[in-house]
Amino acid sequence: MPREYNHQVIESVSVRRQRLRDAMLFGAERARHSLDEGVGKLFASVALAAVICAGCVGWSFIDRELAKEKQQQNQPTQTTSPTTSPTTTPTTNHSTKPTKTPTSR
């Protein structure tokens, strides 16, 4: 029985504090407005979602970089120099511009 009484006292003190806080924040119109405690949960949820998204982006970046590194390690390295083709003389274009002939009217 004493436990119920203690619980009741704690609950009544909590309600009184909430009413005093609402009266201080909103004045006479406290019945129309109340401090929505869900707003804090909303902001916390948005912040948590942003952290999770940033973690996913970071994980993706690290995974991609490790895959690039692994791919570069698996590629065979060229130890010999590439063979050069015989040099050829460049051909020049000797085409002439077509000349316009004047037309009479």
Side-chain angles (χ1 to χ4, degrees):
M1 192 80 176
R3 238 179 202 186
E4 283 183 29
Y5 178 73
N6 290 341
H7 182 67
Q8 185 179 9
V9 169
I10 291 172
E11 189 175 335
S12 66
V13 168
S14 174
V15 169
R16 181 175 171 83
R17 285 183 181 170
Q18 182 179 3
R19 287 181 182 167
L20 287 172
R21 182 178 59 230
D22 287 346
M24 185 181 74
L25 289 174
F26 304 113
E29 295 187 14
R30 70 180 181 273
R32 291 181 55 198
H33 303 286
S34 66
L35 182 62
D36 190 12
E37 294 174 2
V39 174
K41 290 179 183 179
L42 176 70
F43 285 130
S45 298
V46 170
L48 181 63
V51 168
I52 290 171
C53 288
C56 289
V57 169
W59 181 264
S60 175
F61 175 75
I62 291 171
D63 190 40
R64 187 181 64 201
E65 291 298 315
L66 290 175
K68 279 184 189 178
E69 185 178 314
K70 186 176 181 180
Q71 184 181 15
Q72 288 174 355
Q73 288 177 354
N74 289 339
Q75 287 180 348
T77 57
Q78 292 183 351
T79 57
T80 60
S81 64
T83 59
T84 59
S85 62
T87 59
T88 59
T89 58
T91 59
T92 57
N93 189 358
H94 294 291
S95 64
T96 59
K97 269 187 170 178
T99 58
K100 293 185 181 180
T101 57
T103 58
S104 60
R105 289 188 185 191

